[in-house]
DNA sequence: CGTCGCGTTGAAATCCATCAAACGACGTGG
DNA sequence: CCACGTCGTTTGATGGATTTCAACGCGACG
């Protein structure tokens, strides 16, 4: 959508993103290389196959990383939360799509300049390594979760994870929250069909674990029933 | 199995592993911190839940990274090839199992000392970042592959991937090779059961795509039939 | 008011897991 | 050398969970 210079001073993730590892002077150097950009829900940031010439840190909102097979069915590989880094350093072409789930804001860099910064500032390289390791753990956890679990278990675990992500307190899940994903996106993330997701949510409501509030609102009634 | 000092001079992955990014003096410093160790097929290098106090580079052989659910069924999350790095920096506890698939050799480090080396040598941090990014891509590719594909397609894609890994030439798959995994391990990797894997391999043989040579030998007859 | 997108619900078909049995390779011991 | 047990693999029969196909409800929007 729009694009403008960075304003790190008011950045909500300035102490959690990769750039937080830099000292004041280094960070303002890096800030000069990047641009702030807003994305509308559904807007594509990077597309698979495109020239991989940019990377970004998510400041606000939520992104998805996904792959689409030849028939056009989408498989969501990861959700990105604020302070997350997207873009593949070292690869000539983008291999996955990166799309905004909600209205979002990112700090956008050219890959070339960001890689140069990684060379120049060892602390940035280490911070990205840490983040990449966490992403790797997240990807493997998702894989462990989606393989070998029934549709019911996947949907329940997903709802619980979203409740925890929506909560302010780190440990307790939010009781009431809105799903940031459509049914199609949930299906793509969990490796199910839209209909199966819908049926499982209906079943969870019928057995008293949750209550639906409108299309995307969820209220946790019995978290234990979800398998927590 | 056994353990002894490192001998980088004769290391088969000395120009591909993370430590290859170091200059001569730096590498010999790092070598002093590590120990060479051999693993028998099936031997566990790290176990989930253990104190995460070590990490390693694979020199020869093959490893698997896996998670086991409460019922004991194993889900393989990644295969590790020579020059690969295993161990999770920055995490207090190991969260996955790491097991040798074949007789293997690793360079073993204490996590504490390796992290210190990452601080000291920026080139090592960048090399690990690169490797971690590739692992992340690999994990996501596997996820995209396993989700939304039939048992037949998964087995076919797996065989093709193994044929390519077994080949010396980077681009063409090997025509004849041995599977490094048991049926149970293939099932765990692909999210299927042993029986389904076995049936699909039989079916692929029946339709002329492959020929079996003993229990683990595979000969590619019609690679196109496998969906390449 | 009609259409479009998204979600829900139903009925039928399909694919895979499960249960069960037999086979082959291998090593041990007689 | 052969009998025997074990382990991994193969094959068959069955059932069940999820996909597929199809119809409907509902809100948004022109």
């Amino acid at each position: 959508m729009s694009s403008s210079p960075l304003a790190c001073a008011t950045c909500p993730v300035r102490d959690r993103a990769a750039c937080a590892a830099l000292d004041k002077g280094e960070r303002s150097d890096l800030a000069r290389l990047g641009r702030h950009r807003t994305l509308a829900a559904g807007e594509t940031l990077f597309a698979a196959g495109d020239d991989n010439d940019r990377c970004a840190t998510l400041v606000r909102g939520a992104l998805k990383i996904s792959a689409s097979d030849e028939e056009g069915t989408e498989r969501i590989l990861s959700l990105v939360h604020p302070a997350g880094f997207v873009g593949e350093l070292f690869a000539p072409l983008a291999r996955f799509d990166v799309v905004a789930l909600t209205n979002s804001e990112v700090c956008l860099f050219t890959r070339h300049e960001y890689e140069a910064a990684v060379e120049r500032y060892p602390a940035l390289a280490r911070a990205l390594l840490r983040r990449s390791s966490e992403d790797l753990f997240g990807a493997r956890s998702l894989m462990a979760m989606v393989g070998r679990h029934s549709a019911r278990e996947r949907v329940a675990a997903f709802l619980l994870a979203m409740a925890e992500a929506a909560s302010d307190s780190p440990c307790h899940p939010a009781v009431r929250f809105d799903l940031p994903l459509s049914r199609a996106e949930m299906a793509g993330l969990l490796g199910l069909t839209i209909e199966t997701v819908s049926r499982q949510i209906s079943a969870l409501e019928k057995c008293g674990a949750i209550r639906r509030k409108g299309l995307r609102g969820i209220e946790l009634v019995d978290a234990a029933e979800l398998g927590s």
Side-chain angles (χ1 to χ4, degrees), chain A:
Chain A
M1 232 172 193
S2 82
S3 177
S4 67
L6 299 189
C8 296
T10 62
C11 174
V13 298
R14 70 180 175 286
D15 47 359
R16 288 155 46 215
C19 44
L22 299 175
D23 68 29
K24 203 155 183 169
E26 294 169 339
R27 186 164 65 189
S28 68
D29 287 347
L30 185 63
R32 231 165 280 127
L33 303 176
R35 294 192 70 76
H36 182 269
R37 176 158 168 213
T38 64
L39 297 164
E43 194 173 352
T44 295
L45 180 58
F46 307 141
D50 279 8
D51 213 40
N52 178 24
D53 58 352
R54 291 162 301 159
C55 56
T57 290
L58 179 61
V59 172
R60 213 188 295 270
L63 309 177
K64 63 179 175 186
I65 299 173
S66 63
S68 294
D69 58 22
E70 46 286 350
E71 295 107 42
T73 61
E74 176 186 55
R75 185 82 235 265
I76 297 186
L77 303 171
S78 176
L79 301 182
V80 182
H81 300 293
F85 179 84
V86 289
E88 312 169 59
L89 300 182
F90 318 119
L93 295 176
R95 295 174 286 196
F96 300 122
D97 299 314
V98 179
V99 178
L101 287 170
T102 64
N103 293 339
S104 299
E105 303 172 26
V106 296
C107 288
L108 199 56
F109 301 88
T110 68
R111 179 166 73 92
H112 180 74
E113 287 177 333
Y114 205 86
E115 283 178 5
V118 167
E119 290 273 337
R120 189 159 49 239
Y121 308 125
L124 183 60
R126 291 193 296 270
L128 279 180
L129 174 58
R130 188 176 217 117
R131 191 156 282 287
S132 175
S133 301
E134 275 170 28
D135 287 350
L136 185 56
F137 173 69
R140 288 179 173 159
S141 299
L142 178 60
M143 216 188 312
M145 148 49 168
V146 166
R148 300 223 168 293
H149 280 95
S150 68
R152 169 72 62 98
E153 292 168 313
R154 293 185 216 184
V155 171
F158 169 77
L159 290 180
L160 219 48
M162 293 319 289
E164 266 151 24
S167 167
D168 328 295
S169 74
C171 237
H172 289 286
V175 171
R176 189 167 173 351
F177 62 96
D178 280 338
L179 293 170
L181 279 70
S182 68
R183 295 287 183 268
E185 286 165 335
M186 290 176 56
L189 182 69
L190 300 174
L192 301 168
T193 59
I194 296 175
E195 295 93 326
T196 301
V197 171
S198 181
R199 268 186 259 272
Q200 295 304 332
I201 291 180
S202 296
L204 285 171
E205 185 173 34
K206 213 155 289 167
C207 79
I210 62 169
R211 198 170 303 158
R212 275 182 289 198
K213 301 283 186 179
L215 279 181
R216 292 192 166 196
I218 294 287
E219 183 181 302
L220 283 167
V221 179
D222 183 358
E225 187 81 28
L226 291 180
S228 71

